[in-house]
Amino acid sequence: MDMGGGFGGFMPQQSFHMRYSGRQRQFRRFYSAYPIAAYQHGNKMDANYGGKIFMPPSSLDEISQLEVVYPLLFKLQNDEEEEQGKKPRTHCGVLEFTAEEGRVYLPQWMMDTLRLSPGSAVEVINVALLHGSLVKLQPQSVDFLDISDHRAVLENALRRFSALTVGDIITIEYNGREYRIAVRETQPSPSAINIVETDLSVDFEPPVGYVEPTAQSSRASLSSADMNGRSSIAKDIHKQEESIKNEAANLRFQAFRGAGTRLSSGTERNADSNKPASLRSYASSATPDAAQTTDNSMEEDTPVALDLPIGTLFFGYRLVSPAGSQSDQQDEPKFQGQGRVLRQRRKR
């Protein structure tokens, strides 16, 4: 992860490994510390999610007279508080030299780390730190796991920082939410590192409150909720498949859907009216039972072969009209009128 930034626009940058003459002096001053929320020269609330402070212009004039290492890095220390023989301290860069004289403005997380209240005295010391190669971070909430691309988010967030100190709990912002991240380890320096223009490897510890899922809990969840869900889903899919098959069978083209009638016999028509026609049954059958019924009906309806003597021609059976048809009634004579002529014939 390549970190860029820092404060280096006022003087040419110099290498950390460069040797300096005896005229080099260290910048060390006491200022009154205030949170960035109290800064009155524009809205600078975004600086709360970084590691740089606002200093007065006089500090720039004094630093410019010194032979210091760039980019400018400072150690902030609260001399009034002490815990287990150590004073609260952190490291930072400088964002602007626009603060009022005698004041410095710090991000809120720095105020909490140094246990400072608005107006408390803080010592600002110019230091030089080694370029970092590794940092180990620990998110303070499991909500950090909701971020899909941690590397890209951290690479963008750490551009606002110039240094990282072991023990600090920094604050970053992503998608309108704040995430607190603790610095657990730094290399090569065990206390603080410079992350300006360096290739930094980032490692993570499990977030605070994170519980590793066990094999038994995962199996139990599968056997209870997941299996019930899967069985219900399988039943729904089976019902959908059955309904689709039924709709396809109803929409299938069925040829010869009319009922067959015979000319030879009217009595057999009534007897066989309940039997499906062979061609219709054959065309519309979609199941084995329908196919078996079709075979039986075809065997019953197949005409018997004619066994005629040699030289005999067969022109079909005699037509028998059904009962009640017009053919049973006697034919009435047509054209019953008497003929008339206009000119009578003469008798000879």
Side-chain angles (χ1 to χ4, degrees):
M1 184 181 297
D2 187 12
M3 295 292 117
F7 189 85
F10 290 88
M11 294 186 63
Q13 295 188 10
Q14 303 177 18
S15 173
F16 172 76
H17 301 286
M18 184 180 296
R19 297 180 180 272
Y20 296 95
S21 62
R23 295 192 303 271
Q24 180 184 6
R25 293 179 297 172
Q26 188 180 41
F27 177 85
R28 182 189 291 261
R29 290 290 182 271
F30 280 92
Y31 294 97
S32 297
Y34 290 90
I36 291 179
Y39 187 75
Q40 299 179 356
H41 301 282
N43 186 7
K44 303 292 184 180
M45 294 302 295
D46 289 344
N48 277 317
Y49 308 114
K52 300 178 182 180
I53 65 175
F54 294 84
M55 298 181 66
S58 60
S59 61
L60 175 61
D61 296 336
E62 185 175 354
I63 291 172
S64 62
Q65 304 299 323
L66 304 176
E67 295 181 359
V68 297
V69 178
Y70 286 84
L72 292 176
L73 299 176
F74 299 92
K75 181 174 74 171
L76 305 181
Q77 185 172 281
N78 184 2
D79 292 335
E80 299 178 358
E81 295 285 340
E82 187 172 349
E83 183 178 357
Q84 297 180 356
K86 295 182 179 180
K87 299 178 180 180
R89 91 285 182 265
T90 187
H91 297 81
C92 67
V94 58
L95 186 62
E96 293 180 3
F97 290 94
T98 57
E100 296 89 348
E101 292 299 329
R103 291 188 175 189
V104 290
Y105 292 91
L106 282 61
Q108 186 60 47
W109 69 265
M110 284 189 185
M111 299 285 292
D112 298 338
T113 299
L114 299 175
R115 296 193 289 274
L116 295 172
S117 59
S120 299
V122 62
E123 186 177 13
V124 181
I125 308 170
N126 173 239
V127 295
L129 300 176
L130 293 174
H131 284 85
S133 59
L134 173 67
V135 61
K136 183 176 290 186
L137 306 175
Q138 183 185 29
Q140 298 300 291
S141 174
V142 293
D143 295 338
F144 188 76
L145 300 177
D146 297 337
I147 301 176
S148 58
D149 192 351
H150 303 84
R151 178 183 177 86
V153 172
L154 279 177
E155 183 175 356
N156 183 57
L158 292 181
R159 293 183 185 276
R160 301 171 179 260
F161 293 79
S162 298
L164 293 176
T165 307
V166 175
D168 285 354
I169 299 180
I170 64 176
T171 303
I172 65 173
E173 186 269 341
Y174 177 70
N175 279 350
R177 298 185 60 181
E178 294 184 358
Y179 299 92
R180 301 173 68 246
I181 301 177
V183 181
R184 295 303 184 192
E185 181 183 348
T186 58
Q187 292 181 7
S189 175
S191 58
I193 56 173
N194 174 11
I195 63 171
V196 177
E197 296 180 357
T198 182
D199 189 8
L200 185 65
S201 299
V202 180
D203 194 8
F204 287 96
E205 291 185 359
V208 176
Y210 175 74
V211 178
E212 191 74 23
T214 60
Q216 293 181 356
S217 61
S218 60
R219 291 175 183 175
S221 60
L222 277 176
S223 59
S224 59
D226 294 344
M227 295 303 295
N228 293 335
R230 291 179 183 177
S231 61
S232 61
I233 293 174
K235 291 179 180 178
D236 294 340
I237 294 175
H238 182 69
K239 291 181 179 178
Q240 292 179 0
E241 291 179 351
E242 292 295 333
S243 62
I244 292 173
K245 290 181 180 179
N246 295 334
E247 291 179 0
N250 294 333
L251 295 177
R252 183 180 298 172
F253 174 74
Q254 298 180 358
F256 305 104
R257 300 181 64 178
T261 57
R262 296 182 179 181
L263 299 178
S264 59
S265 174
T267 57
E268 294 182 359
R269 173 179 175 273
N270 296 330
D272 297 337
S273 60
N274 296 328
K275 296 182 180 179
S278 61
L279 291 177
R280 178 188 176 187
S281 301
Y282 179 77
S284 60
S285 61
T287 60
D289 296 338
Q292 183 177 2
T293 305
T294 303
D295 295 339
N296 297 334
S297 60
M298 290 182 65
E299 292 178 358
E300 295 177 358
D301 296 342
T302 301
V304 181
L306 296 176
D307 188 8
L308 300 176
I310 298 175
T312 303
L313 299 178
F314 177 72
F315 295 98
Y317 296 102
R318 183 176 61 85
L319 178 60
V320 179
S321 300
S325 61
Q326 295 181 358
S327 59
D328 293 343
Q329 301 177 1
Q330 297 180 358
D331 295 338
E332 298 180 356
K334 299 178 177 60
F335 305 105
Q336 296 181 4
Q338 299 178 358
R340 301 289 184 180
V341 294
L342 298 178
R343 187 175 182 180
Q344 296 183 356
R345 302 173 65 180
R346 296 179 178 179
K347 296 181 180 180
R348 294 182 180 180

